Structure formats: C-alpha cells, structure tokens
Amino acid sequence: MFGIVRPCRHTLCKSLHEEWIAHLCGLCLTLRDRHGHLARLVTNYDGLLVSVLAEAQAPELSPHRRAKPCALRGFAGADVVDARAEGARLAAAASLALAAGKIGDHVADHDGLYARPLVGAVARRVADRWSRASARESAELGLDDEVLRDALDRQPLLEARGGLTLLELTEPTETAVSAVFARTGPLTGKPHNAEALAEAGRLFGRLAHLLDAVEDLDADLKAGAYNPITATGTSLEEVRRLCDDAAHGLALAVDDLDLERRALERALLVTEVRQAVRRTFDEREKRGPRRPPEAPSGFFPCLAECMVACTCGAYQPRWSPDYGKRCRDRFTCPCDSCDCSGCCDCCRCCRHCDCDGNCCDGCDCCGCDC
C-alpha cells in the first residue's frame, strides 16, 4: 500500500473513517472483480481519492454494498463502494496505469530482481496486461488514456535531459493526476467543476511527486539512484516551501468545488494532505543523516516482501522504514474557544469545517454522522 494520504481512526471521526474504509476496500474489490486478484496489489491510498471525489459530487451515482469478512479488517464485514460505481472504476483505471508505468521503468532500468531475464519477462507481461486493462476501462469512462501514457513516457525522458527545474520534473505527474481528477466532474454530471478539479489534481500530483522524493532521498543517495531533489540541487527548505504552497493552493481549489458532500473530501485533501507534508519533513528532520536499515538478501527476505504485498502493507519486516511506526497524528482540537477537556469524539470533526467554536454542541458544522 502506498500514497501520501494515510489517515487512521485517530485522525478521522468514526463516521468519516468508515467512509474512507468504504472507498479503500471498494477500490481493492473493484480491482479484483474487474481485473483479477493480482490487480489488487495496485490498491493505493491516493487512488481512492478519485472515488471520494466522485461520490462527493454525486452520491446517488456511487452505490454501496455489504462486503464479506476480510483478514485486513479483522475478519469483519464492511460497507464498501460497489464495483459498478464509475468513480471506483476510474480510480482502478488510474491505479493500473500508474502501476504498469512503474513496472515498465523498473524493467527498463534493470532494477534489482527485474534485471533477471525471467522476472523481467513476467513483470513486463503483467505491466502490459494492466496497461491494456487501464486503457479499456478509461475508454469506457471517457478518459483519454493517452494523456496518462504520455505522462508516464515523458517522465524518464525529462529525467535524462538534465538542466531542468524541480517543477519541470513534476509536470508529467501533475498533468496525469489533473486529467483523472477533472474527469470526475463530467462523469458525475457536474462539468462546471472540471476546472477546479484539474487545478486540485495538478497540485496534488506535485505534492505526491515531491513528498515521494523526500521520503526516498536517503535510499536513493545510498544506491546512487536518480532523485529529482539531488538532480536539481534543490534545498529541502525550498522543497518544503513548494509543498506548503501546493497544499494551500489545493485547499483553495477544494473550496471552489460544487459538492453534495464535503466532509470526507475536505478531511483528506486539506487536513490529511497538510499532515502528510508535516509528517514527511518531521520524520526527515528526526532521521537526520542516518541511512535506512539495509534489507538482507536471500529466501526469507523475499518471503517477507511477499507478506507485505499480500497484506497490503499491514505486515512490515524489521528493515522496512515503516516497521514499528505508530500513528503520531493524534487529533488536536483547533477551536481556541473550545474546552476540549470534556469533549466527545465528535469534536474532532470540527477541524474539517469552519467552526464557530461551539464544536462540543454537535457535529452539524461538518455534516458527519457521529
């Protein structure tokens, strides 16, 4: 599981967390039902934002169903977005295209196990299958798949050119995410949202690219791999400024959207995005010059990595940077006039809206069902 927006029950109220799980599990099951069990490996936190945006604009076009027990939910059932929902299908198409492009890059660069002929051949076949599935799904939903493939193809060319600025290197990611976000407007009968959605997607794509580069900086330096931050000589202070500006612009774009439901969409694209920026740079600062633990080689590490994939990241080996990590984004009430010493859990909803400070009197301000 990957992505920059990773909320948990400590940072969302109960009803919003259940809504988020509905989209997360819905994306996973949509990939399974429409593209096979192997496709579930491309489930990611950021891809489900497409499904969230679609439902926020037209809830009636996003049917739900009751899913059977799953090991990742503690063998409990759950309310999930149905695979018929066009938002979930669009999220699945985008996730497949992204995964196919990533695998293609690894095979072309002969990275790690991909350098082995048999592994490379199998990976290439899987990538081709996912690319075709994405193109087919995108065509049915009216999304120009060529925009996504062109962005993925241009990225390595820009990296090889040299002499570019950091924002010039993030442009393909911005373009791809912008196109996917913008498509949810016409798809839900609100084409007037397309411009604000495109801007939100462009800024979110920039953030995803930059934060990923910051997280990978130490590992890339040790391996001698390409990283846009070192390649452009950009300081971390400047990267943080670019991220903060993008997060602010994203919040403004979200405010311009015409939505039927706003609570979850604002919680993820505003509050959680800002937390992702803080978390990434805070962890980088605490880590300092230390290198991440080196993964051993052999059969058991390969088995461990399979466990990571099969559990969608719930299991982490000891050499993983996520091993032993606990949620540090506990809720803190933003209402200066609110005495949170005796507040109920509903009060945490108030940070997702413009609250008048009387958040302990209920959650009508954010519209969630606490």
Side-chain angles (χ1 to χ4, degrees), residues 248-271:
H248 179 67
L250 178 58
L252 295 178
V254 167
D255 288 340
D256 288 339
L257 294 175
D258 174 19
L259 303 175
E260 301 297 324
R261 295 180 182 173
R262 186 172 292 272
L264 181 60
E265 173 262 354
R266 183 167 179 81
L268 298 179
L269 285 175
V270 179
T271 306

Side-chain angles (χ1 to χ4, degrees), residues 197-218:
L197 286 166
E199 179 68 3
R202 183 180 68 83
L203 294 172
F204 185 82
R206 177 182 299 179
L207 277 164
H209 198 131
L210 293 178
L211 294 181
D212 182 65
V214 173
E215 290 181 342
D216 294 343
L217 188 55
D218 285 341

Side-chain angles (χ1 to χ4, degrees), residues 8-340:
C8 69
R9 59 178 52 89
H10 297 303
T11 58
L12 291 177
C13 68
K14 182 180 178 181
S15 65
L16 291 185
H17 187 261
E18 289 175 350
E19 285 185 42
W20 180 74
I21 288 293
H23 288 280
L24 178 62
C25 295
L27 173 58
C28 180
L29 295 176
T30 298
L31 287 164
R32 181 200 67 181
D33 294 345
R34 299 187 65 84
H35 307 291
H37 275 283
L38 187 61
R40 299 174 76 178
L41 293 175
V42 309
T43 304
N44 66 93
Y45 294 127
D46 294 344
L48 68 89
L49 291 174
V50 178
S51 179
V52 172
L53 281 169
E55 184 173 76
Q57 294 175 87
E60 68 279 3
L61 299 180
S62 184
H64 286 225
R65 68 178 179 85
R66 189 69 184 174
K68 294 181 179 180
C70 173
L72 297 179
R73 294 192 299 267
F75 294 100
D79 176 74
V80 303
V81 176
D82 193 90
R84 295 172 298 159
E86 293 185 333
R89 292 172 57 195
L90 184 60
S95 298
L96 288 168
L98 173 62
K102 288 285 187 181
I103 292 177
D105 287 343
H106 287 311
V107 173
D109 296 338
H110 302 286
D111 293 335
L113 291 175
Y114 293 95
R116 300 181 181 181
L118 181 59
V119 175
V122 173
R124 190 178 296 107
R125 185 171 182 176
V126 171
D128 289 343
R129 176 184 174 185
W130 285 349
S131 181
R132 290 194 299 270
S134 174
R136 183 171 59 252
E137 195 80 89
S138 298
E140 293 178 3
L141 297 171
L143 175 67
D144 186 4
D145 181 69
E146 191 64 32
V147 175
L148 303 183
R149 284 188 290 178
D150 176 68
L152 292 171
D153 291 341
R154 281 191 295 111
Q155 189 66 57
L157 298 178
L158 291 177
E159 293 176 357
R161 182 184 302 175
L164 300 178
T165 65
L166 189 57
L167 293 186
E168 287 175 327
L169 289 173
T170 63
E171 180 273 324
T173 306
E174 296 177 22
T175 300
V177 180
S178 177
V180 176
F181 274 31
R183 183 56 196 160
T184 64
L187 204 61
T188 55
K190 294 196 173 183
H192 54 280
N193 274 339
E195 184 176 352
L197 286 166
E199 179 68 3
R202 183 180 68 83
L203 294 172
F204 185 82
R206 177 182 299 179
L207 277 164
H209 198 131
L210 293 178
L211 294 181
D212 182 65
V214 173
E215 290 181 342
D216 294 343
L217 188 55
D218 285 341
D220 289 342
L221 285 172
K222 184 175 183 178
Y226 182 89
N227 188 288
I229 296 175
T230 54
T232 58
T234 308
S235 67
L236 285 175
E237 291 76 13
E238 176 63 13
V239 178
R240 176 63 186 266
R241 186 190 67 80
L242 292 173
C243 289
D244 287 337
D245 286 350
H248 179 67
L250 178 58
L252 295 178
V254 167
D255 288 340
D256 288 339
L257 294 175
D258 174 19
L259 303 175
E260 301 297 324
R261 295 180 182 173
R262 186 172 292 272
L264 181 60
E265 173 262 354
R266 183 167 179 81
L268 298 179
L269 285 175
V270 179
T271 306
E272 294 299 334
V273 162
R274 287 171 176 165
Q275 287 189 355
V277 174
R278 289 195 297 268
R279 178 176 62 242
T280 300
F281 284 92
D282 287 349
E283 290 179 358
R284 168 71 191 178
E285 184 176 348
K286 292 176 182 178
R287 189 166 61 241
R290 291 181 297 170
R291 303 287 192 238
E294 184 175 357
S297 59
F299 170 75
F300 288 105
C302 290
L303 180 62
E305 294 300 330
C306 289
M307 286 287 292
V308 173
C310 292
T311 62
C312 293
Y315 165 80
Q316 291 292 340
R318 288 182 179 272
W319 59 84
S320 168
D322 292 327
Y323 177 77
K325 185 178 292 184
R326 297 291 183 267
C327 177
R328 292 186 290 273
D329 297 323
R330 302 276 177 167
F331 168 74
T332 301
C333 183
C335 305
D336 295 333
S337 59
C338 174
D339 179 12
C340 287

